[in-house]
Amino acid sequence: ALTRAGFALRDGEAGPFPMVLMLPPRQREEYRALLARAVDETAAGGVVVACASNLEGARTIEGDLKALCGGVASLSKNKCRVFWAQVDPARLNRGLIAQWAALDAPRTVDSGYLSRPGVFAWDRLDAGSRFLAAHLPAFAGVGADLGAGIGYLSDVALRASSAITRLDLIEAEGRALDLARANVPDARAAFHWLDATQGLPERYDFIVSNPPFHIDRADRHDLGQGFIRSAAAALKPGGRFWMVANRRLPYEETLKAAFKRVEAVAANEQYKIVQAVR
């Protein structure tokens, strides 16, 4: 959308820039690495500007920017803080900048999968995904993994069945999709940087998903409901949708409205697995 509006996307281009703007994410290692990159790519005399909600640790992040730059100014309004620092090379804590810049580097987690701070369940394989993986059947045909993350469910599905001809990994977080490309080397995997709630690019024989259910601290049931509706619209007649969700999440009504048949497959104390048929 930005490219169509006339902007140039220069992913990974190094500075220095006269100003760097930043909206820090929640995860500490990720935001500290981004702060370090922001300071490192700002020209001498330039300014780093950041903003965060007071409920998401704005004061702490402001203190971290001060630790890197030696000084900071701020304003507070609407339960948020905007804070900025002028980059003076003589005052920079270069040791801390180098230390923090490496904090969000990719690393291996459970079973050798590559992950990094900031992506979903970054330091472990999510328990819900593990639960679903243990119950998945051997699929056939063309499928999709909605909210594929680092690619764990897709990797499990592809390893379990040679009858899968293609599996589309649909993921809105670009950093996660980059990891999925490394974690799922199977030639049948295709990678799509897309928001699954906005519709899918193909028609599928099967779809699997561990949908997200929050943004920052806020529960967002509509995300999972959007995944369900997109899956129903994209499946071929008779196609199957396998989903895992927290037991407390109210998805049954949406499932029954979207699918011809809905079946509870398994449940434990925390999660439920549902199969729905188009």
Side-chain angles (χ1 to χ4, degrees), residues 121-142:
W122 74 269
D123 58 349
R124 66 198 183 281
L125 291 179
D126 172 66
S129 293
R130 280 183 178 272
F131 188 50
L132 179 56
H135 289 83
L136 287 179
F139 292 113
V142 179

Side-chain angles (χ1 to χ4, degrees), residues 10-230:
R10 299 172 180 168
D11 190 21
E13 178 177 315
F17 302 104
M19 176 180 286
V20 173
L21 306 177
M22 178 182 170
L23 293 175
R26 276 187 65 192
Q27 211 284 327
R28 185 175 66 176
E29 285 87 349
E30 182 188 13
Y31 86 65
R32 281 184 166 178
L34 288 171
L35 276 180
R37 177 182 170 188
V39 172
D40 193 49
E41 295 189 3
T42 302
V47 180
V48 177
V49 184
C51 186
S53 163
N54 293 337
L55 298 176
E56 300 296 334
R59 282 187 177 275
T60 300
I61 303 169
E62 179 183 339
D64 285 343
L65 181 59
K66 181 178 180 180
L68 295 178
C69 295
V72 69
S74 67
L75 290 171
S76 182
K77 189 176 182 180
N78 297 330
K79 299 181 181 179
C80 293
R81 295 179 73 81
V82 59
F83 40 95
W84 61 94
Q86 188 170 35
V87 173
D88 179 352
R91 300 184 69 189
L92 295 181
N93 187 334
R94 298 190 183 278
L96 195 59
I97 291 171
Q99 178 185 334
W100 285 3
L103 286 178
D104 76 335
R107 67 206 66 185
T108 55
V109 292
D110 297 353
S111 305
Y113 288 96
L114 198 64
S115 186
R116 68 188 303 182
V119 301
F120 172 66
W122 74 269
D123 58 349
R124 66 198 183 281
L125 291 179
D126 172 66
S129 293
R130 280 183 178 272
F131 188 50
L132 179 56
H135 289 83
L136 287 179
F139 292 113
V142 179
D145 180 356
L146 306 190
I150 65 170
Y152 167 64
L153 282 176
S154 293
D155 187 55
V156 170
L158 287 166
R159 290 178 186 273
S161 176
S162 60
I164 296 174
T165 56
R166 193 182 80 246
L167 184 56
D168 288 352
L169 283 75
I170 311 293
E171 174 56 49
E173 173 57 69
R175 296 166 79 250
L177 200 63
D178 289 340
L179 297 165
R181 290 187 177 96
N183 288 327
V184 190
D186 196 300
R188 295 171 292 167
F191 304 89
H192 301 270
W193 186 24
L194 297 171
D195 179 352
T197 67
Q198 301 302 305
L200 304 180
E202 300 286 345
R203 299 276 281 174
Y204 298 104
D205 299 297
F206 69 92
I207 294 174
V208 300
S209 185
N210 180 3
F213 62 90
H214 62 266
I215 293 179
D216 296 327
R217 297 179 189 274
D219 278 1
R220 288 286 303 274
H221 301 159
D222 59 308
L223 291 175
Q225 291 163 348
F227 274 46
I228 292 167
R229 295 186 186 102
S230 289

